Coordinates of all heavy atoms in Angstrom, one line a residue:
M201 N -3.4 12.9 -6.5 CA -2.4 13.9 -6.5 C -2.9 15.3 -6.2 O -2.2 16.2 -5.8 CB -1.6 13.9 -7.8 CG -0.8 12.6 -8.0 SD 0.1 12.3 -9.4 CE 0.6 13.8 -10.1
L202 N -4.2 15.5 -6.4 CA -4.9 16.7 -6.2 C -4.7 17.3 -4.7 O -4.3 18.5 -4.6 CB -6.3 16.7 -6.5 CG -7.1 18.0 -6.4 CD1 -6.5 19.1 -7.3 CD2 -8.6 17.9 -6.7
P203 N -4.8 16.5 -3.6 CA -4.5 17.0 -2.3 C -3.1 17.6 -2.2 O -3.0 18.7 -1.6 CB -4.6 15.7 -1.4 CG -5.6 14.9 -2.2 CD -5.3 15.1 -3.6
T204 N -2.1 17.1 -2.8 CA -0.8 17.6 -2.7 C -0.7 18.9 -3.5 O -0.2 19.9 -2.9 CB 0.2 16.6 -3.4 OG1 0.3 15.4 -2.6 CG2 1.6 17.3 -3.3
L205 N -1.4 19.0 -4.6 CA -1.4 20.3 -5.3 C -2.1 21.4 -4.6 O -1.8 22.6 -4.7 CB -2.0 20.1 -6.7 CG -1.2 19.2 -7.6 CD1 -2.0 18.9 -8.9 CD2 0.1 19.7 -7.9
L206 N -3.1 21.0 -3.7 CA -3.9 21.9 -3.0 C -3.3 22.2 -1.5 O -3.8 22.8 -0.7 CB -5.3 21.4 -2.8 CG -6.1 21.3 -4.1 CD1 -7.5 20.7 -3.8 CD2 -6.2 22.7 -4.7
G207 N -2.1 21.6 -1.3 CA -1.4 21.9 -0.1 C -1.8 20.9 1.1 O -1.5 21.2 2.3
D208 N -2.5 19.9 0.9 CA -3.0 19.0 1.9 C -1.8 18.1 2.3 O -1.4 17.2 1.5 CB -4.2 18.2 1.4 CG -4.7 17.2 2.5 OD1 -4.1 17.1 3.6 OD2 -5.8 16.7 2.3
A209 N -1.3 18.2 3.6 CA -0.2 17.4 4.0 C -0.5 15.9 4.2 O 0.3 15.1 4.5 CB 0.4 17.9 5.2
N210 N -1.9 15.6 4.2 CA -2.3 14.2 4.4 C -2.5 13.3 3.1 O -3.1 12.3 3.2 CB -3.7 14.3 5.1 CG -3.5 14.9 6.5 OD1 -2.6 14.6 7.3 ND2 -4.5 15.8 6.8
Q211 N -1.9 13.8 2.0 CA -1.9 13.1 0.8 C -1.3 11.6 1.1 O -0.2 11.5 1.6 CB -1.1 13.8 -0.2 CG -0.9 12.9 -1.5 CD -2.2 12.7 -2.4 OE1 -3.1 13.5 -2.3 NE2 -2.2 11.5 -3.0
R212 N -2.0 10.7 0.7 CA -1.6 9.2 0.8 C -0.3 9.1 -0.2 O -0.4 9.5 -1.3 CB -2.6 8.3 0.4 CG -2.3 6.8 0.4 CD -3.5 5.9 0.1 NE -3.9 6.0 -1.2 CZ -3.6 5.3 -2.2 NH1 -2.7 4.4 -2.1 NH2 -4.1 5.5 -3.4
Q213 N 0.7 8.5 0.3 CA 1.9 8.2 -0.5 C 1.7 7.0 -1.3 O 1.2 6.0 -0.8 CB 3.1 8.0 0.5 CG 3.5 9.2 1.2 CD 4.0 10.4 0.3 OE1 4.9 10.2 -0.6 NE2 3.5 11.6 0.4
H214 N 2.1 7.1 -2.5 CA 2.0 6.0 -3.5 C 3.4 5.2 -3.6 O 4.4 5.8 -3.5 CB 1.6 6.5 -4.9 CG 0.4 7.2 -4.9 ND1 -0.9 6.5 -5.0 CD2 0.1 8.5 -4.8 CE1 -1.9 7.5 -5.0 NE2 -1.3 8.6 -4.9
H215 N 3.3 3.9 -3.8 CA 4.5 3.1 -3.9 C 5.2 3.5 -5.2 O 6.5 3.5 -5.3 CB 4.3 1.7 -3.9 CG 3.8 1.2 -2.5 ND1 4.6 1.2 -1.4 CD2 2.6 0.8 -2.1 CE1 3.9 0.7 -0.3 NE2 2.6 0.5 -0.8
Y216 N 4.4 3.8 -6.2 CA 4.9 4.1 -7.5 C 3.8 4.9 -8.3 O 2.6 4.8 -7.9 CB 5.4 3.0 -8.3 CG 4.3 2.0 -8.7 CD1 3.5 2.2 -9.8 CD2 4.1 0.8 -7.9 CE1 2.4 1.3 -10.1 CE2 3.1 0.0 -8.2 CZ 2.2 0.1 -9.3 OH 1.3 -0.8 -9.6
L217 N 4.2 5.6 -9.3 CA 3.2 6.2 -10.2 C 3.4 5.6 -11.6 O 4.6 5.5 -12.0 CB 3.3 7.7 -10.3 CG 3.1 8.4 -8.9 CD1 3.4 9.9 -9.0 CD2 1.6 8.3 -8.5
Y218 N 2.3 5.3 -12.3 CA 2.5 4.6 -13.6 C 1.7 5.4 -14.6 O 0.5 5.8 -14.3 CB 1.9 3.2 -13.5 CG 1.7 2.5 -14.8 CD1 2.8 1.9 -15.5 CD2 0.5 2.5 -15.5 CE1 2.7 1.3 -16.7 CE2 0.4 1.8 -16.7 CZ 1.4 1.3 -17.3 OH 1.3 0.6 -18.5
W219 N 2.2 5.6 -15.8 CA 1.5 6.2 -16.9 C 1.7 5.5 -18.2 O 2.7 4.7 -18.4 CB 2.1 7.7 -17.3 CG 2.1 8.6 -16.2 CD1 1.1 9.6 -16.0 CD2 3.1 8.9 -15.2 NE1 1.5 10.4 -14.9 CE2 2.6 10.0 -14.3 CE3 4.3 8.3 -14.9 CZ2 3.4 10.4 -13.4 CZ3 5.0 8.8 -13.9 CH2 4.6 9.9 -13.0
E220 N 0.7 5.5 -19.0 CA 0.9 5.0 -20.4 C 0.1 5.8 -21.4 O -1.0 6.3 -21.0 CB 0.5 3.5 -20.4 CG -1.0 3.2 -20.3 CD -1.3 1.7 -20.3 OE1 -0.7 0.9 -19.6 OE2 -2.2 1.5 -21.2
Y221 N 0.6 5.8 -22.6 CA -0.2 6.5 -23.6 C 0.3 6.1 -25.0 O 1.5 6.2 -25.3 CB 0.1 8.0 -23.5 CG -0.7 8.9 -24.5 CD1 -2.0 9.0 -24.5 CD2 0.1 9.5 -25.5 CE1 -2.8 9.7 -25.5 CE2 -0.7 10.3 -26.5 CZ -2.0 10.3 -26.5 OH -2.6 11.0 -27.5
Q222 N -0.6 5.6 -25.8 CA -0.3 5.1 -27.2 C 1.0 4.3 -27.2 O 1.9 4.5 -28.0 CB -0.2 6.3 -28.1 CG -1.5 7.0 -28.3 CD -1.5 8.1 -29.2 OE1 -0.4 8.5 -29.7 NE2 -2.6 8.6 -29.6
G223 N 1.0 3.3 -26.4 CA 2.2 2.3 -26.4 C 3.4 2.8 -25.6 O 4.4 2.0 -25.4
K224 N 3.4 3.9 -25.1 CA 4.6 4.5 -24.3 C 4.2 4.2 -22.9 O 3.1 4.3 -22.4 CB 4.8 6.0 -24.5 CG 5.2 6.3 -26.0 CD 5.1 7.8 -26.2 CE 5.5 8.2 -27.6 NZ 4.5 7.9 -28.6
Q225 N 5.2 3.9 -22.0 CA 5.0 3.7 -20.6 C 6.0 4.5 -19.8 O 7.2 4.6 -20.2 CB 5.1 2.2 -20.2 CG 4.1 1.3 -20.9 CD 4.4 -0.1 -20.5 OE1 5.3 -0.7 -21.0 NE2 3.5 -0.7 -19.7
A226 N 5.6 4.8 -18.7 CA 6.6 5.5 -17.6 C 6.2 5.1 -16.2 O 5.0 4.9 -15.9 CB 6.6 7.1 -17.9
V227 N 7.2 5.0 -15.4 CA 7.0 4.8 -14.0 C 7.9 5.7 -13.2 O 9.1 5.9 -13.5 CB 7.4 3.3 -13.7 CG1 7.4 3.1 -12.2 CG2 6.4 2.3 -14.4
R228 N 7.3 6.2 -12.1 CA 8.2 7.0 -11.1 C 8.1 6.2 -9.9 O 7.2 5.8 -9.4 CB 7.5 8.3 -10.9 CG 8.2 9.2 -9.9 CD 9.5 9.8 -10.4 NE 10.3 10.3 -9.3 CZ 10.4 11.6 -9.0 NH1 9.7 12.5 -9.8 NH2 11.2 12.0 -8.0
L229 N 9.3 5.9 -9.4 CA 9.5 4.9 -8.2 C 10.6 5.6 -7.3 O 11.8 5.6 -7.6 CB 10.0 3.6 -8.7 CG 10.2 2.6 -7.6 CD1 8.9 2.2 -6.9 CD2 10.8 1.3 -8.1
G230 N 10.2 6.5 -6.4 CA 11.1 7.2 -5.6 C 11.8 8.2 -6.5 O 11.2 9.0 -7.2
A231 N 13.1 8.2 -6.4 CA 14.0 9.1 -7.3 C 14.1 8.5 -8.7 O 14.7 9.2 -9.6 CB 15.3 9.3 -6.6
W232 N 13.7 7.4 -9.0 CA 13.8 6.8 -10.3 C 12.8 7.1 -11.2 O 11.5 7.1 -10.8 CB 13.9 5.2 -10.2 CG 15.0 4.8 -9.3 CD1 14.9 4.2 -8.1 CD2 16.4 4.7 -9.6 NE1 16.1 3.9 -7.6 CE2 17.1 4.2 -8.6 CE3 17.2 5.2 -10.8 CZ2 18.5 4.0 -8.6 CZ3 18.6 5.0 -10.7 CH2 19.2 4.4 -9.6
K233 N 13.0 7.4 -12.4 CA 12.0 7.6 -13.5 C 12.5 6.6 -14.6 O 13.5 6.6 -15.1 CB 11.9 8.9 -14.1 CG 10.9 9.0 -15.1 CD 10.8 10.3 -15.8 CE 9.8 10.2 -17.0 NZ 10.0 11.4 -17.9
A234 N 11.4 5.8 -15.0 CA 11.7 4.9 -16.2 C 10.8 5.1 -17.3 O 9.7 5.6 -17.0 CB 11.5 3.4 -15.7
Y235 N 11.3 4.9 -18.5 CA 10.5 5.3 -19.7 C 10.7 4.2 -20.7 O 11.8 3.7 -20.9 CB 10.9 6.6 -20.2 CG 10.3 6.9 -21.6 CD1 9.0 7.4 -21.7 CD2 11.0 6.8 -22.7 CE1 8.4 7.6 -22.9 CE2 10.6 7.1 -24.0 CZ 9.2 7.5 -24.1 OH 8.7 7.7 -25.3
R236 N 9.7 3.8 -21.4 CA 9.8 2.8 -22.5 C 8.9 3.4 -23.6 O 7.7 3.6 -23.5 CB 9.3 1.5 -22.1 CG 9.4 0.4 -23.2 CD 9.3 -1.0 -22.7 NE 8.2 -1.3 -21.9 CZ 8.1 -2.5 -21.3 NH1 8.9 -3.4 -21.4 NH2 7.0 -2.8 -20.6
A237 N 9.6 3.6 -24.9 CA 8.9 4.2 -26.0 C 7.9 3.3 -26.6 O 6.9 3.9 -27.3 CB 9.9 4.7 -26.9
S238 N 8.0 2.0 -26.5 CA 7.1 1.1 -27.1 C 7.2 -0.3 -26.3 O 8.3 -0.4 -25.6 CB 7.2 0.8 -28.5 OG 8.4 0.1 -28.8
V239 N 6.3 -1.2 -26.4 CA 6.5 -2.5 -25.7 C 7.7 -3.2 -26.2 O 8.1 -4.1 -25.5 CB 5.2 -3.3 -25.8 CG1 4.0 -2.6 -25.0 CG2 4.7 -3.5 -27.2
E240 N 8.1 -2.9 -27.4 CA 9.4 -3.6 -28.0 C 10.6 -2.9 -27.5 O 11.7 -3.5 -27.7 CB 9.3 -3.6 -29.5 CG 8.1 -4.3 -30.1 CD 6.9 -3.4 -30.3 OE1 7.0 -2.2 -30.2 OE2 5.8 -4.0 -30.5
S241 N 10.6 -1.7 -26.9 CA 11.8 -0.9 -26.6 C 12.3 -1.4 -25.2 O 11.6 -1.9 -24.4 CB 11.4 0.5 -26.5 OG 10.9 1.0 -27.7
E242 N 13.6 -1.1 -25.1 CA 14.3 -1.3 -23.8 C 13.8 -0.2 -22.8 O 13.4 0.9 -23.3 CB 15.8 -1.2 -23.9 CG 16.4 -2.3 -24.8 CD 16.3 -3.7 -24.2 OE1 16.5 -3.8 -22.9 OE2 16.0 -4.6 -24.9
I243 N 13.8 -0.5 -21.6 CA 13.4 0.5 -20.6 C 14.7 1.4 -20.3 O 15.8 1.0 -20.0 CB 13.1 -0.2 -19.2 CG1 11.7 -1.0 -19.4 CG2 12.9 0.8 -18.1 CD1 11.3 -1.9 -18.3
E244 N 14.4 2.7 -20.4 CA 15.4 3.7 -20.0 C 15.2 4.1 -18.5 O 14.1 4.1 -18.0 CB 15.3 5.0 -20.8 CG 15.4 4.7 -22.3 CD 15.1 5.9 -23.1 OE1 15.0 7.0 -22.6 OE2 14.8 5.8 -24.3
L245 N 16.3 4.3 -17.8 CA 16.2 4.5 -16.3 C 17.0 5.8 -16.1 O 18.1 6.0 -16.5 CB 16.7 3.4 -15.5 CG 16.6 3.5 -14.0 CD1 15.1 3.5 -13.6 CD2 17.4 2.4 -13.4
Y246 N 16.3 6.7 -15.3 CA 17.0 8.0 -14.9 C 16.9 8.2 -13.4 O 15.9 7.9 -12.8 CB 16.3 9.2 -15.6 CG 16.4 8.9 -17.1 CD1 15.3 8.5 -17.8 CD2 17.5 9.3 -17.8 CE1 15.4 8.3 -19.1 CE2 17.6 9.2 -19.2 CZ 16.5 8.6 -19.8 OH 16.6 8.4 -21.2
D247 N 18.0 8.7 -12.8 CA 18.0 9.0 -11.4 C 17.7 10.6 -11.3 O 18.6 11.3 -11.5 CB 19.4 8.7 -10.7 CG 19.4 9.1 -9.3 OD1 18.5 9.6 -8.7 OD2 20.5 8.7 -8.7
L248 N 16.5 10.9 -10.9 CA 16.1 12.3 -11.0 C 16.8 13.1 -9.9 O 16.8 14.3 -10.0 CB 14.6 12.4 -10.9 CG 13.8 11.8 -12.0 CD1 12.3 12.0 -11.9 CD2 14.3 12.3 -13.4
E249 N 17.3 12.4 -8.9 CA 18.1 13.2 -7.8 C 19.3 13.8 -8.3 O 19.8 14.9 -8.0 CB 18.3 12.3 -6.6 CG 17.1 12.2 -5.7 CD 17.4 11.4 -4.4 OE1 18.6 11.1 -4.2 OE2 16.5 11.2 -3.7
S250 N 20.0 13.1 -9.3 CA 21.3 13.6 -9.8 C 21.2 14.0 -11.2 O 22.2 14.5 -11.8 CB 22.4 12.5 -9.6 OG 22.0 11.4 -10.4
D251 N 20.1 13.7 -11.9 CA 19.9 14.0 -13.4 C 18.5 14.4 -13.7 O 17.8 13.7 -14.3 CB 20.3 12.7 -14.2 CG 20.3 12.9 -15.6 OD1 20.3 14.0 -16.2 OD2 20.2 11.9 -16.3
I252 N 18.1 15.6 -13.2 CA 16.7 16.0 -13.4 C 16.4 16.2 -14.9 O 15.2 16.1 -15.2 CB 16.5 17.3 -12.5 CG1 14.9 17.7 -12.5 CG2 17.2 18.5 -13.1 CD1 14.2 16.7 -11.6
A253 N 17.3 16.5 -15.7 CA 17.1 16.7 -17.1 C 17.0 15.4 -17.9 O 16.8 15.4 -19.2 CB 18.2 17.6 -17.7
E254 N 17.3 14.3 -17.2 CA 17.1 12.9 -17.8 C 18.0 12.8 -19.0 O 17.7 12.4 -20.1 CB 15.7 12.6 -18.3 CG 14.7 12.6 -17.1 CD 13.3 12.4 -17.4 OE1 13.1 11.8 -18.6 OE2 12.4 12.9 -16.7
Q255 N 19.4 13.1 -18.8 CA 20.3 13.1 -19.8 C 21.1 11.8 -19.8 O 21.7 11.4 -20.8 CB 21.4 14.3 -19.7 CG 20.7 15.6 -19.7 CD 20.2 15.9 -21.2 OE1 20.9 15.7 -22.2 NE2 18.9 16.3 -21.2
R256 N 21.2 11.1 -18.7 CA 22.0 9.9 -18.6 C 21.1 8.6 -18.3 O 20.6 8.5 -17.1 CB 23.1 10.0 -17.5 CG 24.1 11.1 -17.9 CD 25.1 11.3 -16.7 NE 24.5 11.7 -15.5 CZ 24.1 12.9 -15.1 NH1 24.2 13.9 -16.0 NH2 23.6 13.2 -14.0
D257 N 21.0 7.8 -19.2 CA 20.2 6.5 -19.0 C 21.1 5.6 -18.2 O 22.2 5.2 -18.6 CB 19.9 5.8 -20.4 CG 19.1 4.6 -20.3 OD1 18.9 4.0 -19.1 OD2 18.9 3.9 -21.3
V258 N 20.7 5.2 -17.0 CA 21.6 4.4 -16.1 C 21.0 3.0 -15.9 O 21.4 2.2 -15.0 CB 21.8 5.1 -14.7 CG1 22.5 6.4 -14.8 CG2 20.4 5.4 -14.0
A259 N 20.2 2.5 -16.8 CA 19.6 1.2 -16.8 C 20.6 0.1 -16.7 O 20.4 -0.9 -15.9 CB 18.7 1.0 -17.9
A260 N 21.7 0.2 -17.4 CA 22.7 -0.9 -17.4 C 23.3 -1.0 -16.1 O 23.7 -2.1 -15.7 CB 23.7 -0.6 -18.5
A261 N 23.5 0.0 -15.3 CA 24.1 0.0 -14.0 C 23.1 -0.4 -12.9 O 23.6 -0.7 -11.8 CB 24.7 1.4 -13.7
H262 N 21.9 -0.5 -13.2 CA 20.9 -0.8 -12.1 C 19.9 -1.8 -12.7 O 18.6 -1.6 -12.7 CB 20.1 0.5 -11.7 CG 21.1 1.4 -11.1 ND1 21.5 1.4 -9.9 CD2 21.6 2.5 -11.7 CE1 22.3 2.4 -9.6 NE2 22.4 3.1 -10.7
P263 N 20.3 -3.1 -13.0 CA 19.4 -4.1 -13.5 C 18.3 -4.5 -12.6 O 17.2 -4.9 -13.0 CB 20.3 -5.3 -13.9 CG 21.5 -5.0 -13.1 CD 21.7 -3.5 -12.9
E264 N 18.6 -4.4 -11.3 CA 17.5 -4.8 -10.3 C 16.4 -3.8 -10.3 O 15.2 -4.2 -10.1 CB 18.2 -5.0 -9.0 CG 18.6 -3.7 -8.2 CD 19.9 -3.0 -8.8 OE1 20.5 -3.6 -9.6 OE2 20.1 -1.8 -8.4
I265 N 16.7 -2.5 -10.5 CA 15.6 -1.5 -10.5 C 14.9 -1.7 -11.8 O 13.6 -1.6 -11.8 CB 16.2 -0.1 -10.4 CG1 17.0 0.1 -9.1 CG2 15.1 1.0 -10.6 CD1 16.2 0.0 -7.8
V266 N 15.5 -1.9 -12.9 CA 14.9 -2.1 -14.2 C 13.9 -3.3 -14.1 O 12.8 -3.2 -14.6 CB 15.9 -2.2 -15.3 CG1 15.3 -2.7 -16.6 CG2 16.7 -0.9 -15.5
A267 N 14.4 -4.4 -13.5 CA 13.5 -5.5 -13.4 C 12.3 -5.2 -12.5 O 11.2 -5.6 -12.9 CB 14.3 -6.7 -12.8
R268 N 12.4 -4.5 -11.5 CA 11.3 -4.2 -10.6 C 10.3 -3.3 -11.4 O 9.1 -3.4 -11.3 CB 11.8 -3.4 -9.4 CG 10.8 -3.1 -8.4 CD 11.4 -2.6 -7.1 NE 10.5 -2.0 -6.2 CZ 10.7 -1.3 -5.2 NH1 12.0 -1.0 -4.9 NH2 9.8 -0.8 -4.4
I269 N 10.9 -2.3 -12.1 CA 10.0 -1.5 -12.9 C 9.3 -2.2 -14.1 O 8.2 -2.0 -14.4 CB 10.8 -0.2 -13.4 CG1 11.0 0.7 -12.2 CG2 10.1 0.5 -14.5 CD1 11.9 1.9 -12.4
A270 N 10.0 -3.1 -14.8 CA 9.4 -3.9 -15.8 C 8.2 -4.7 -15.3 O 7.2 -4.8 -15.9 CB 10.4 -4.9 -16.3
E271 N 8.3 -5.2 -14.0 CA 7.2 -5.9 -13.4 C 6.0 -4.9 -13.1 O 4.9 -5.2 -13.4 CB 7.6 -6.5 -12.1 CG 6.6 -7.3 -11.5 CD 6.1 -8.6 -12.2 OE1 6.7 -8.9 -13.2 OE2 5.1 -9.1 -11.7
I272 N 6.3 -3.7 -12.7 CA 5.3 -2.7 -12.5 C 4.6 -2.4 -13.8 O 3.4 -2.3 -13.9 CB 5.9 -1.4 -11.9 CG1 6.2 -1.7 -10.4 CG2 4.8 -0.2 -12.0 CD1 7.1 -0.6 -9.8
M273 N 5.4 -2.2 -14.9 CA 4.8 -2.0 -16.2 C 3.9 -3.1 -16.7 O 2.9 -2.9 -17.4 CB 6.0 -1.7 -17.2 CG 6.6 -0.4 -17.1 SD 7.9 -0.1 -18.3 CE 8.4 1.6 -18.0
R274 N 4.3 -4.3 -16.3 CA 3.5 -5.5 -16.7 C 2.2 -5.6 -15.9 O 1.1 -5.9 -16.4 CB 4.3 -6.7 -16.6 CG 3.6 -8.0 -17.2 CD 4.5 -9.2 -17.0 NE 4.6 -9.6 -15.6 CZ 3.6 -10.3 -14.9 NH1 2.5 -10.5 -15.4 NH2 3.8 -10.6 -13.6
T275 N 2.2 -5.3 -14.6 CA 1.2 -5.6 -13.7 C 0.4 -4.4 -13.2 O -0.7 -4.5 -12.6 CB 1.6 -6.4 -12.4 OG1 2.6 -5.5 -11.7 CG2 2.3 -7.7 -12.8
G276 N 1.0 -3.2 -13.4 CA 0.4 -2.0 -12.9 C -0.7 -1.4 -13.8 O -1.1 -0.2 -13.6
R277 N -1.2 -2.1 -14.7 CA -2.2 -1.6 -15.7 C -3.3 -2.6 -15.8 O -3.2 -3.7 -15.4 CB -1.5 -1.5 -17.1 CG -1.0 -2.8 -17.7 CD -0.3 -2.6 -19.0 NE -1.1 -1.7 -19.9 CZ -2.1 -2.2 -20.7 NH1 -2.4 -3.4 -20.7 NH2 -2.7 -1.3 -21.5
S278 N -4.4 -2.1 -16.3 CA -5.6 -2.9 -16.5 C -5.8 -2.9 -18.1 O -5.8 -1.9 -18.7 CB -6.9 -2.3 -15.9 OG -6.7 -2.3 -14.5
E279 N -6.0 -4.1 -18.6 CA -6.3 -4.2 -20.0 C -7.6 -3.5 -20.4 O -8.6 -3.5 -19.6 CB -6.5 -5.7 -20.4 CG -5.2 -6.5 -20.4 CD -4.1 -6.0 -21.4 OE1 -4.5 -5.5 -22.5 OE2 -3.0 -6.0 -21.0
S280 N -7.7 -2.9 -21.5 CA -8.8 -2.1 -21.9 C -8.9 -2.1 -23.4 O -7.9 -1.9 -24.1 CB -8.7 -0.6 -21.4 OG -9.7 0.1 -22.1
E281 N -10.1 -2.4 -23.9 CA -10.3 -2.4 -25.3 C -10.4 -0.9 -25.9 O -9.9 -0.6 -27.0 CB -11.6 -3.1 -25.7 CG -11.6 -4.6 -25.6 CD -12.9 -5.3 -26.0 OE1 -13.6 -4.6 -26.9 OE2 -13.1 -6.3 -25.5
L282 N -10.7 0.0 -25.0 CA -10.7 1.4 -25.4 C -9.4 2.1 -25.3 O -9.2 3.0 -26.2 CB -11.7 2.2 -24.4 CG -13.2 1.8 -24.4 CD1 -13.9 2.5 -23.3 CD2 -13.8 2.1 -25.8
F283 N -8.6 1.6 -24.5 CA -7.2 2.1 -24.3 C -6.2 1.0 -24.3 O -5.5 0.8 -23.4 CB -7.1 3.0 -23.1 CG -8.1 4.1 -23.0 CD1 -9.2 4.0 -22.2 CD2 -8.0 5.2 -23.8 CE1 -10.1 5.0 -22.2 CE2 -8.9 6.2 -23.7 CZ -10.0 6.1 -22.9
P284 N -5.9 0.4 -25.5 CA -5.0 -0.7 -25.5 C -3.5 -0.2 -25.4 O -3.2 1.0 -25.8 CB -5.2 -1.4 -26.9 CG -5.7 -0.2 -27.7 CD -6.6 0.6 -26.8
L285 N -2.6 -0.9 -24.8 CA -1.3 -0.5 -24.7 C -0.6 -0.5 -26.1 O 0.2 0.4 -26.4 CB -0.5 -1.5 -23.8 CG 1.0 -1.2 -23.6 CD1 1.1 0.2 -22.9 CD2 1.7 -2.2 -22.7
V286 N -1.0 -1.4 -26.9 CA -0.4 -1.5 -28.3 C -1.5 -0.9 -29.3 O -2.6 -1.5 -29.3 CB 0.0 -2.9 -28.7 CG1 0.5 -2.9 -30.2 CG2 1.0 -3.5 -27.8
P287 N -1.3 0.2 -29.8 CA -2.3 0.9 -30.8 C -2.7 -0.1 -31.8 O -1.9 -1.0 -32.3 CB -1.5 2.1 -31.4 CG -0.5 2.4 -30.3 CD -0.1 1.1 -29.7
A288 N -4.0 0.0 -32.2 CA -4.6 -0.9 -33.2 C -3.9 -1.1 -34.5 O -3.7 -2.2 -34.9 CB -6.1 -0.4 -33.5
Q289 N -3.3 -0.1 -35.1 CA -2.6 -0.2 -36.3 C -1.4 -1.1 -36.2 O -1.0 -1.9 -37.1 CB -2.2 1.1 -36.9 CG -1.2 1.9 -36.1 CD -1.9 2.9 -35.2 OE1 -3.0 2.7 -34.8 NE2 -1.2 3.9 -34.6
R290 N -0.7 -1.1 -35.0 CA 0.5 -2.0 -34.8 C 0.0 -3.4 -34.6 O 0.6 -4.3 -35.1 CB 1.3 -1.4 -33.6 CG 2.7 -2.0 -33.7 CD 3.5 -1.6 -32.6 NE 3.4 -0.2 -32.3 CZ 3.7 0.3 -31.1 NH1 4.0 -0.4 -30.2 NH2 3.6 1.7 -30.9
R291 N -1.1 -3.6 -33.9 CA -1.6 -4.9 -33.6 C -2.0 -5.6 -34.9 O -1.8 -6.8 -35.1 CB -2.8 -4.9 -32.6 CG -2.3 -4.8 -31.2 CD -3.5 -4.9 -30.3 NE -4.2 -3.7 -30.3 CZ -5.5 -3.5 -30.2 NH1 -6.3 -4.6 -30.1 NH2 -6.1 -2.4 -30.2
K292 N -2.6 -4.9 -35.9 CA -3.1 -5.5 -37.0 C -1.9 -6.0 -37.9 O -2.1 -7.0 -38.7 CB -3.9 -4.4 -37.9 CG -5.2 -4.1 -37.3 CD -6.0 -3.1 -38.1 CE -7.2 -2.7 -37.4 NZ -7.9 -1.6 -38.1
S293 N -0.8 -5.3 -37.8 CA 0.4 -5.7 -38.7 C 1.2 -6.9 -38.1 O 2.1 -7.4 -38.8 CB 1.3 -4.5 -38.9 OG 1.9 -4.1 -37.7
E294 N 0.9 -7.2 -36.9 CA 1.7 -8.3 -36.2 C 1.2 -9.7 -36.7 O 0.1 -10.0 -37.1 CB 1.6 -8.3 -34.7 CG 2.3 -7.0 -34.2 CD 2.1 -6.9 -32.7 OE1 1.3 -7.6 -32.0 OE2 2.8 -6.1 -32.2

């Protein structure tokens, strides 16, 4: 992303962007942004072209997009003992 921030027009386009932090996950896929507060939570879906403030969760109206993003959340990450998706305190209680 640095080339874009520096004004380089040759930045490689990504199919999607994926983030995770302490059990939370987010995906940006074109105009769509999805968020999941924990691995047990439902995926929230927002259309950033018409709802930049993320006020309307449209997941129920777009199950095909939610399914695609759920797959990205499952496969777009690498397991890591240093950075587990599920924090240690939650894993111990399961």
